Amino acid sequence: LSKRNVYQTVPMYNLNWVRPKKLFRELLGDSIITLVDVGARAESVLSVEELTPLENHINYIGFDADDEEVKRLKTLPSKYFESQYISSFVGNRKEIVKFKLHYDAGMSSLYDLSESHTRWFRKSPVEKELLLQADSLDNLLNQDIDFIKLDTQGNEYEILSGAERCLSTALMVEVEVE
């Protein structure tokens, strides 16, 4: 179980995930679903397993604040109809933010970890702090969005508050809440 993600270790709660791609191809025809994934680092791209039957219909737009990670993601083969990766910190407005890039990069965040967490590991988990230009989804995207997935270690509310236009067309939003 240690090499599996959360979707593979809990009982399936949505049997639509296992329906054949052919069914979705018949239902959707040539329709394309625009999926925005904020916090697209590493396995995030692969963890949208509930959308596996829809892969051929997805226009994937992934955002990550770490420019090096975005460069790496761009080298990977895409399983989607179309995919793009954008190096940007997504927040609620245009501003400069101090982003904490952690040694365990998946924990990187705008926010500090708790003191007890830092004491437990006996060192600061922060590898380096980056000053980044933040902007809102509404400013960064000029298109209708169907699905928004957020996994940003704490600033999900800020992202949603800067995505009024994007949310007006979104059919689904998946948010990991810290």
Side-chain angles (χ1 to χ4, degrees):
L1 289 178
S2 66
K3 296 189 187 234
R4 297 184 178 272
N5 68 38
V6 68
Y7 296 112
Q8 296 167 321
T9 58
V10 297
M12 189 169 291
Y13 58 89
N14 184 345
L15 293 177
N16 288 317
W17 299 353
V18 294
R19 299 212 185 254
K21 287 185 177 185
K22 180 182 176 193
L23 171 68
F24 292 99
R25 196 169 37 251
E26 290 171 4
L27 288 171
L28 294 171
D30 294 333
S31 297
I32 300 299
I33 298 165
T34 300
L35 163 65
V36 171
D37 183 3
V38 182
R41 168 170 296 283
E43 296 299 313
S44 176
V45 176
L46 305 175
S47 70
V48 192
E49 289 184 356
E50 62 268 31
L51 299 176
T52 298
L54 301 170
E55 289 171 348
N56 298 332
H57 297 275
I58 292 177
N59 171 26
Y60 178 90
I61 304 170
F63 286 91
D64 199 87
D66 181 2
D67 190 49
E68 291 302 313
E69 178 62 7
V70 169
K71 288 176 187 171
R72 188 190 74 78
L73 289 169
K74 287 180 176 181
T75 67
L76 301 176
S78 175
K79 61 184 182 179
Y80 299 112
F81 172 77
E82 197 173 296
S83 62
Q84 64 179 306
Y85 300 95
I86 300 168
S87 179
S88 183
F89 183 89
V90 182
N92 62 350
R93 65 183 176 274
K94 189 171 275 215
E95 65 179 331
I96 301 295
V97 297
K98 191 184 293 185
F99 183 72
K100 291 139 183 89
L101 189 61
H102 290 223
Y103 289 101
D104 178 357
M107 295 175 64
S108 299
S109 176
L110 182 66
Y111 299 105
D112 293 316
L113 292 175
S114 69
E115 286 181 35
S116 62
H117 184 279
T118 302
R119 272 196 315 272
W120 176 264
F121 290 99
R122 297 193 177 108
K123 67 175 185 175
S124 170
V126 177
E127 181 178 350
K128 60 184 169 182
E129 290 186 356
L130 307 171
L131 289 178
L132 300 175
Q133 176 66 57
D135 211 342
S136 69
L137 273 181
D138 282 351
N139 289 338
L140 291 165
L141 296 170
N142 191 23
Q143 63 192 88
D144 288 347
I145 306 303
D146 299 304
F147 185 85
I148 299 172
K149 177 183 174 287
L150 305 178
D151 182 0
T152 60
Q153 307 313 110
N155 78 310
E156 292 84 0
Y157 175 77
E158 287 89 347
I159 293 168
L160 291 171
S161 67
E164 189 174 317
R165 183 181 40 77
C166 289
L167 287 169
S168 72
T169 62
L171 302 172
M172 264 186 355
V173 178
E174 178 180 306
V175 180
E176 179 180 298
V177 179
E178 298 281 331

